[in-house]
Amino acid sequence: MKKALSAQELYLKSVKRTNGKVRFWRIFLCILFIAAWEFCAQRELINSFIFSSPSKLARCLKDLLLNQNLAGHIGITLFETLASFALVILISLILAVLLWNSRTLSRILEPYMVMLNSLPKSALAPLLIVWLGANYKTIILTGISVAVFGSIMNLYTGFIETDREKIKLIYTLGGTKRDALCKVILPANIPNLFSIMKVNIGLCLVGVIIGEFIAARQGLGYLIIYGSQVFKMDWVILSILILCIIAMGLYLMLDRLERIFKNFS
């Protein structure tokens, strides 16, 4: 018993040591990149007007927070992203269930879903603006259009590939399609749903930024396109870095929710 416990302790120490190394190297590489960036800008090895520098971005961040309502721009982009993300998940679940419930309907709609999923979504944005106007609804719809078709197809594929023996058992015991859906299909596809959500949160953010490029007067996408037009490259680079932080934060949030769900299940 002691040997087994000792082996387990050695394994846990090894895992902790490996995790510590990973965290150290992540932080070290980030600090090294920032230091090299600042050094090259100060020594004029790179053009600081085009590539900016960490010190210039820090001053730019302060100025945007105090004078340009940066927090408001971030909040608007976050709201539009989360709204489009929530609607994508809701629409995907409803349509995937409908397609699973009717194989005839799925065979009719499948080629159209493939076509719409393959369509470059940036081509839809100008049409949406003409149809709906330049407002936040258009931007949210652009975010939805980027992610929803692939999400529906992936969920539907997960539904039809669920263990058929378990579904047969439900029917054998007198269960209905609703029982099969609620007791087998949906629970079995929760890991798949989390994977789809992790992908969709980034796609929705991309779609929202595409919409803000064209239709917005607020948001990080607006700051990027406006900054590029007036050659305020600090605005552009800072907005891109903030988008990276937002994307990472949203992904980690979903990853944390997945871990909490696994611990409770």
Side-chain angles (χ1 to χ4, degrees), residues 98 127 225 248:
L98 290 176
L127 282 176
I225 202 70
M248 182 175 66

Side-chain angles (χ1 to χ4, degrees), residues 105-214:
L105 180 63
S106 68
R107 290 177 62 187
I108 292 170
L109 295 182
E110 185 174 2
Y112 297 102
M113 300 294 294
V114 172
M115 177 185 68
L116 290 171
N117 187 49
S118 303
L119 180 71
K121 307 309 182 296
S122 56
L124 291 176
L127 282 176
L128 294 175
I129 293 169
V130 173
W131 292 342
L132 302 176
N135 53 56
Y136 74 93
K137 295 178 183 177
T138 302
I139 296 169
I140 291 173
L141 192 56
T142 304
I144 292 172
S145 69
V146 170
V148 70
F149 302 111
S151 180
I152 294 168
M153 292 173 63
N154 288 331
L155 268 178
Y156 171 65
T157 301
F159 284 3
I160 62 176
E161 290 180 353
T162 303
D163 191 344
R164 294 185 180 183
E165 296 301 320
K166 292 181 180 180
I167 297 173
K168 285 181 181 178
L169 180 61
I170 291 288
Y171 292 147
T172 302
L173 296 174
T176 62
K177 262 197 168 184
R178 181 177 179 180
D179 294 321
L181 176 67
C182 296
K183 298 182 185 299
V184 178
I185 302 292
L186 290 178
N189 279 276
I190 287 178
N192 183 36
L193 179 61
F194 273 110
S195 297
I196 291 170
M197 288 167 66
K198 288 178 181 179
V199 174
N200 282 347
I201 195 67
L203 291 176
C204 289
L205 183 57
V206 169
V208 163
I209 295 304
I210 290 172
E212 288 183 346
F213 279 170
I214 301 172

Side-chain angles (χ1 to χ4, degrees), residues 71-108:
H73 289 291
I74 295 172
I76 287 168
T77 298
L78 264 177
F79 164 74
E80 291 166 346
T81 300
L82 293 175
S84 61
F85 173 72
L87 289 170
V88 164
I89 298 303
L90 180 63
I91 293 168
S92 299
L93 280 170
I94 292 172
L95 290 182
V97 168
L98 290 176
L99 294 175
W100 171 81
N101 188 58
S102 173
R103 294 301 172 89
T104 302
L105 180 63
S106 68
R107 290 177 62 187
I108 292 170

